């Protein structure tokens, strides 16, 4: 589910923790389950994190008991989801969504989030990727600098502001090193700590970006 302002109290009371959330940022490719298409998000949304692994699903779903572990504190969208009648959930999907600035009260952290958006927004990422065809290595170097900044910002903020590292996907969205795959590119970390940018082939094998 995506969170709405009506769900803010669940975070404030600790029923849903920030480590259980992930922010999909404006411009990020997302799946629209209503219109059945993949397109850039027109705004940021905060979602419940998925489980890792092949059987992905809500992190609060207990597969053995086939039950929600926070049923009494489930978000608005979950309450509205009825298999026999989708009218309520469709109405709620059109309502305003919860955003990070509704949750984050720390001014320093808000400033870092805004700076990250300026430097690592998907409009900037998209621009660098498009430049590769015409500018080659220069565009690749700019793209790598962007990826490195995003990569190193997370542990830095975690250490300096005493924020658990597993909460940084909420504050700064998914790492660009992960989302770059939507452009058919992949980041490989080299033994010396450097980054190598490669293409993802149709067979899932990597070829060096030329």
């Amino acid at each position: 589910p995506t969170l709405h302002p009506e769900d803010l109290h669940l975070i404030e009371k600790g029923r849903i923790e920030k480590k259980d959330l992930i922010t999909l940022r404006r411009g990020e490719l997302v799946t629209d389950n209503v219109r059945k298409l993949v397109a850039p998000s027109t705004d940021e949304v905060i979602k419940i994190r998925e489980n890792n692994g092949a059987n992905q699903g809500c992190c609060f779903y207990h597969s053995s008991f086939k039950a929600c572990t926070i049923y009494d504190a489930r978000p608005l969208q979950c309450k509205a989801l009825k298999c026999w009648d989708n009218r309520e959930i469709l109405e709620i999907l059109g309502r305003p969504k919860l955003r990070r600035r509704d949750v984050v009260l720390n001014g320093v952290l808000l400033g870092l989030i805004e700076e990250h958006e300026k430097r690592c927004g998907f409009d900037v990422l998209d621009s660098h990727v498009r430049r590769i065809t015409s500018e080659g290595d220069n565009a690749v170097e700019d793209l790598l600098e962007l990826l490195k900044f995003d990569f190193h910002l997370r542990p830095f903020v975690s250490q300096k502001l005493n924020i658990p590292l597993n909460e940084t996907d909420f504050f700064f969205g998914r790492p660009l090193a992960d989302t770059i795959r939507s452009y058919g590119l992949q980041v490989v970390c080299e033994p010396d700590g450097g980054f190598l940018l490669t293409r993802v082939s149709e067979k899932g094998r990597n070829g060096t970006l030329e």
Side-chain angles (χ1 to χ4, degrees):
T2 297
L3 301 188
H4 294 261
E6 293 91 336
D7 300 313
L8 179 58
H9 71 284
L10 299 175
I11 302 174
E12 293 175 336
K13 294 179 179 179
R15 303 300 300 273
I16 296 177
E17 299 181 51
K18 294 183 183 70
K19 68 179 179 61
D20 302 316
L21 301 172
I22 189 165
T23 297
L24 302 183
R25 299 188 293 135
R26 184 175 62 83
E28 184 171 354
L29 284 180
V30 296
T31 300
D32 186 326
N33 291 318
V34 176
R35 295 184 294 167
K36 305 297 182 185
L37 55 81
V38 177
S41 176
T42 57
D43 204 347
E44 72 174 58
V45 295
I46 299 172
K47 297 184 72 70
I48 300 294
R49 185 186 293 274
E50 289 185 339
N51 286 317
N52 295 323
N55 298 319
Q56 291 183 333
C58 178
C59 66
F60 291 117
Y61 180 71
H62 196 299
S63 57
S64 298
F65 295 104
K66 300 186 184 305
C68 172
T69 58
I70 60 164
Y71 187 81
D72 292 336
R74 64 195 187 281
L76 183 66
Q77 285 190 8
C78 296
K79 293 178 180 178
L81 185 60
K82 301 176 178 68
C83 299
W84 60 91
D85 186 353
N86 65 4
R87 287 175 294 180
E88 185 178 359
I89 184 63
L90 288 176
E91 186 273 327
I92 286 175
L93 288 174
R95 293 188 191 177
K97 308 299 191 297
L98 190 69
R99 296 175 182 148
R100 288 173 290 180
R101 63 173 176 265
D102 301 319
V103 181
V104 181
L105 302 179
N106 184 309
V108 173
L109 189 51
L110 276 174
L112 289 170
I113 290 172
E114 291 175 2
E115 182 63 24
H116 178 258
E117 283 298 319
K118 290 178 183 177
R119 295 187 60 170
C120 300
F122 280 91
D123 54 340
V124 180
L125 179 68
D126 186 73
S127 174
H128 288 333
V129 171
R130 291 177 182 276
R131 287 173 47 224
I132 292 176
T133 302
S134 59
E135 299 183 32
D137 289 344
N138 289 335
V140 170
E141 286 301 317
D142 289 342
L143 185 54
L144 286 172
E145 286 302 313
L146 195 72
L147 293 166
K148 290 175 185 176
F149 176 79
D150 176 76
F151 180 83
H152 292 295
L153 175 68
R154 297 160 190 270
F156 175 81
V157 170
S158 174
Q159 181 182 14
K160 293 297 183 181
L161 298 185
N162 195 29
I163 293 171
L165 189 60
N166 61 5
E167 293 183 0
T168 56
D169 284 358
F170 161 72
F171 292 113
F172 301 109
R174 295 192 295 167
L176 291 184
D178 294 341
T179 56
I180 194 72
R181 291 185 65 88
S182 64
Y183 292 92
L185 302 172
Q186 177 171 293
V187 175
V188 176
C189 292
E190 298 183 297
D192 62 358
F195 281 7
L196 178 67
L197 198 61
T198 67
R199 293 191 188 279
V200 179
S201 71
E202 292 181 0
K203 295 182 179 180
R205 294 181 298 183
N206 299 326
T208 302
L209 185 68
E210 297 178 352

